[in-house]
């Protein structure tokens, strides 16, 4: 899932300052899972904005809506009946959702209420960990399901750097050494032979060096 964290109130306040009617728009998928942009967070932010405006004696109308998804065009249409009543939309979606909405409604002001983070997993309640950088050429099968591009601070493909202490990374001691995990799992699986091959570094120019990527599948097109 894509993670995000809500922008600081001062930043949001500055963004919405020119507008008297703001629609806070959440997204029901990833950002809801990471408790930053779902229905609950929309309600919380909307009431904070109303309270803030009241305290500062500012006239501000705040609406609330949560779309099923902000990054899929058929769901973005859920905004259509509401837009006329607002000067700006404060989106609590990830950056992809904000841009998709702005693409559909280019005449409307769409503001980002979140700082989009990373591709990650929910490890436990309140803890989200980055585990994929979307390199475009997944090699998890070679590394026992642990991504060295994302989880090794030095992005090493051919074994540990040797600096790990008690299974923790020498660069970020609060995280586990990715290679410690890879070796442990390969050994448990009886697949240590995976280490015999030399893996070339990721060729980022193929994947991310040519501007935004796209996936187009003819079998999925209407
Ligand atoms: S190798 Fe790592 S960064 Fe690349 S797609 Fe797989 S998990 Fe993501
Ligand atoms: S200690 Fe482990 S995770 Fe950290 S940089 Fe070295 S090999 Fe990578």
């Amino acid at each position: 899932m894509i993670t995000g964290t809500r922008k600081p109130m001062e930043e949001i306040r500055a963004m919405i300052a020119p507008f008297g009617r703001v629609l806070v728009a959440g997204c029901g998928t990833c950002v809801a899972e990471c408790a930053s942009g779902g229905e609950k967070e929309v309600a919380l932010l909307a009431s904070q904005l109303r309270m803030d405006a009241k305290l500062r004696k500012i006239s501000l109308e705040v609406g609330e809506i949560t779309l099923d998804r902000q990054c899929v065009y058929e769901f973005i249409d859920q905004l259509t009946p509401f837009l006329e009543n607002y000067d700006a939309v404060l989106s609590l979606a990830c950056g992809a959702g904000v841009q998709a909405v702005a693409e559909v409604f280019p005449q409307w002001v769409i503001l980002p209420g979140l700082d989009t983070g990373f591709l990650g997993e929910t490890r436990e309640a309140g803890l989200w960990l980055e585990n994929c950088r979307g390199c475009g050429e997944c090699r998890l099968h070679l590394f026992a399901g642990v991504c060295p591009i994302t989880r090794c601070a030095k992005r090493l493909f051919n074994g540990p750097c040797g600096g790990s202490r008690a299974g923790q990374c020498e660069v970020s001691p609060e995280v586990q050494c990715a290679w410690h995990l890879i070796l442990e799992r390969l050994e448990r699986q009886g697949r240590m032979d995976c280490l015999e091959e030399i893996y070339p570094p990721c060729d980022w120019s193929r994947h991310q060096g040519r501007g935004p990527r796209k996936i187009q599948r003819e079998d999925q097109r209407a």
Side-chain angles (χ1 to χ4, degrees):
M1 84 185 158
I2 299 171
T3 61
T5 48
R6 206 183 82 187
K7 282 183 177 292
M9 196 55 158
E10 306 74 55
E11 207 178 317
I12 292 178
R13 198 188 276 150
M15 265 193 303
I16 64 169
F19 310 106
R21 301 172 306 163
V22 173
L23 179 62
V24 181
C27 178
T29 51
C30 308
V31 291
E33 168 59 26
C34 70
S36 55
E39 201 171 355
K40 259 190 347 206
E41 292 73 37
V42 166
L44 182 66
L45 177 58
S47 85
Q48 283 176 327
L49 290 174
R50 288 185 200 111
M51 185 75 75
D52 185 63
K54 207 169 174 183
L55 289 173
R56 296 191 298 130
K57 299 185 176 20
I58 287 169
S59 161
L60 179 66
E61 191 184 319
V62 182
E64 299 172 32
I65 185 171
T66 299
L67 311 192
D68 293 331
R69 290 180 205 171
Q70 287 195 32
C71 59
V72 179
Y73 279 27
E74 63 198 80
F75 296 113
I76 295 173
D77 192 39
Q78 294 167 348
L79 275 174
T80 306
F82 301 93
L83 288 178
E84 288 290 351
N85 302 321
Y86 295 94
D87 306 315
V89 174
L90 178 60
S91 166
L92 294 190
C94 69
V98 174
Q99 292 184 67
V101 172
E103 186 78 25
V104 173
F105 302 111
Q107 69 278 38
W108 256 273
V109 176
I110 315 295
L111 308 166
L114 295 190
D115 290 321
T116 302
F118 49 78
L119 296 181
E121 67 177 63
T122 306
R123 181 59 61 88
E124 58 189 59
L127 177 63
W128 294 276
L129 301 178
E130 180 175 22
N131 55 17
C132 176
R133 293 216 169 134
C135 74
E137 187 184 359
C138 194
R139 301 191 222 182
L140 285 173
H141 57 298
L142 304 173
F143 304 116
V146 177
C147 174
I149 295 175
T150 314
R151 295 171 65 182
C152 168
K154 298 175 190 172
R155 300 189 189 182
L156 300 177
F157 270 5
N158 293 289
C161 68
S164 159
R165 293 284 172 274
Q168 301 301 112
C169 174
E170 72 161 352
V171 179
S172 311
E174 73 280 6
V175 300
Q176 285 180 293
C177 166
W179 270 99
H180 183 89
L181 291 172
I182 293 169
L183 292 172
E184 227 176 38
R185 283 196 204 164
L186 285 177
E187 193 167 25
R188 188 180 295 176
Q189 295 170 8
R191 296 172 64 219
M192 292 297 269
D193 55 305
C194 285
L195 299 174
E196 282 164 19
E197 197 151 333
I198 304 291
Y199 303 116
C202 190
D203 179 0
W204 291 97
S205 68
R206 269 182 57 199
H207 307 304
Q208 295 191 332
R210 294 185 181 163
R213 295 173 284 178
K214 74 174 174 187
I215 295 172
Q216 187 165 324
R217 277 182 51 183
E218 292 311 319
D219 61 323
Q220 293 296 311
R221 290 163 74 86

